[in-house]
């Protein structure tokens, strides 16, 4: 599965002020983002599905890839394109058995060992981070920074061309340097959600990504 062209920018939902999961994702979609991950760690399955049904319909309207964080058991119900699994979520092999060969399964990695493990377990893409400190995730792993990403990409590329996405506290000013490490793209939440104009911010980010 070749996701490289689609995965340049992934927006991960979050809530801030008056902007909720739908409002944030809509801003990103209007700005040109075509990869949305629904992340609601503290929500019940019922709450998750209420938002997921609306967000899934919105993604289909825009022709965007729709990924669920963690909840593999809801992928088919919400007509999502796949799932992103954290280190403490369902094992990748179990998710693959549940979802079948055609669904996207992403995996989180904080170390080279974890990234290579995701490759060997046949993840479709790997989210690596955190790039820097972020308030959107509890129990944060060790910060990677540019050098950490560069080292990880060097070792991953020795064995695989799997898409790799940088994540965690990334700012617009960081993007060019991050992309030069060899990653396939980036994942953002607060940088878009908290922008004065999420649509224009997304457009500017995509322009940077395509001009590195």
């Amino acid at each position: 599965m070749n996701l490289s062209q689609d995965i340049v920018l992934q927006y991960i939902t979050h809530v801030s002020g008056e902007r909720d999961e739908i409002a944030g994702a809509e801003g990103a979609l209007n700005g040109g983002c075509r990869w949305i991950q629904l992340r609601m760690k503290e929500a019940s399955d019922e709450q998750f599905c209420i938002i997921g049904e609306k967000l899934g319909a919105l993604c289909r309207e825009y022709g965007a890839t729709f990924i669920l964080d963690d909840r593999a058991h809801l992928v088919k119900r919400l007509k999502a394109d796949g799932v992103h699994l954290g280190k403490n979520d369902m094992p990748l092999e179990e998710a693959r058995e549940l979802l079948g060969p055609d669904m996207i399964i992403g995996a989180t990695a904080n170390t080279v060992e974890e990234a290579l493990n995701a490759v060997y377990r046949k993840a479709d893409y790997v989210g690596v981070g955190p790039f820097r400190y972020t308030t959107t995730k509890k129990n944060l792993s060790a910060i990677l920074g540019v050098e950490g990403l560069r080292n990880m990409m060097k070792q991953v590329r020795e064995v695989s061309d799997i898409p790799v996405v940088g994540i965690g506290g990334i700012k617009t000013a960081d993007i060019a340097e991050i992309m030069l490490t060899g990653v396939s793209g980036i994942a953002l939440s607060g940088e878009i959600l908290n922008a004065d104009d999420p649509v224009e911010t997304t457009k500017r980010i995509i322009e940077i990504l395509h001009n590195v």
Side-chain angles (χ1 to χ4, degrees):
M1 183 177 293
N2 183 4
L3 303 176
S4 299
Q5 296 304 311
D6 300 320
I7 210 170
V8 174
L9 174 62
Q10 181 179 132
Y11 175 75
I12 302 176
T13 68
H14 189 58
V15 176
S16 180
E18 296 182 357
R19 292 176 182 157
D20 60 10
E21 292 88 0
I22 302 298
E26 192 163 24
L29 289 165
N30 279 327
C33 178
R34 291 297 178 263
W35 186 284
I36 305 293
Q37 181 188 144
L38 175 58
R39 188 176 190 272
M40 297 174 66
K41 283 294 187 187
E42 308 301 326
S44 66
D45 278 358
E46 181 180 0
Q47 293 170 320
F48 191 94
C49 285
I50 290 171
I51 298 297
E53 288 173 358
K54 295 177 181 178
L55 188 52
L58 192 62
C59 286
R60 288 188 288 276
E61 179 182 335
Y62 280 84
T65 300
F66 179 41
I67 298 291
L68 307 186
D69 175 69
D70 181 11
R71 308 190 197 214
H73 63 290
L74 296 179
V75 166
K76 293 181 180 178
R77 174 177 171 179
L78 294 175
K79 300 177 183 177
D81 297 293
V83 66
H84 182 90
L85 301 173
K87 292 188 285 185
N88 298 316
D89 295 336
M90 178 185 289
L92 198 151
E93 294 84 359
E94 188 177 332
R96 181 63 71 196
E97 184 175 353
L98 176 66
L99 299 177
D102 298 325
M103 291 290 186
I104 298 167
I105 299 180
T108 294
N110 177 245
T111 66
V112 171
E113 182 181 10
E114 289 170 354
L116 294 176
N117 187 43
V119 171
Y120 297 140
R121 296 168 69 191
K122 301 189 184 305
D124 293 306
Y125 74 92
V126 186
V128 298
F131 173 73
R132 69 154 56 88
Y133 177 77
T134 173
T135 59
T136 63
K137 189 171 185 179
K138 297 179 180 179
N139 303 316
L140 202 65
S141 298
I143 305 302
L144 291 177
V146 171
E147 287 306 315
L149 286 178
R150 185 176 291 116
N151 178 58
M152 186 174 292
M153 290 308 305
K154 180 178 182 295
Q155 297 191 58
V156 169
R157 284 293 172 258
E158 290 177 354
V159 299
S160 175
D161 62 355
I162 188 172
V164 177
V165 180
I167 186 172
I170 295 171
K171 305 295 184 184
T172 302
D174 302 320
I175 294 172
E177 190 173 21
I178 288 174
M179 293 302 292
L180 291 175
T181 67
V183 297
S184 312
I186 59 170
L188 297 176
S189 182
E191 186 73 351
I192 290 175
L193 181 67
N194 298 323
D196 291 336
D197 189 331
V199 176
E200 288 305 314
T201 296
T202 303
K203 288 179 179 178
R204 186 166 68 253
I205 288 168
I206 290 174
E207 183 179 3
I208 294 169
L209 285 165
H210 286 293
N211 284 287
V212 174

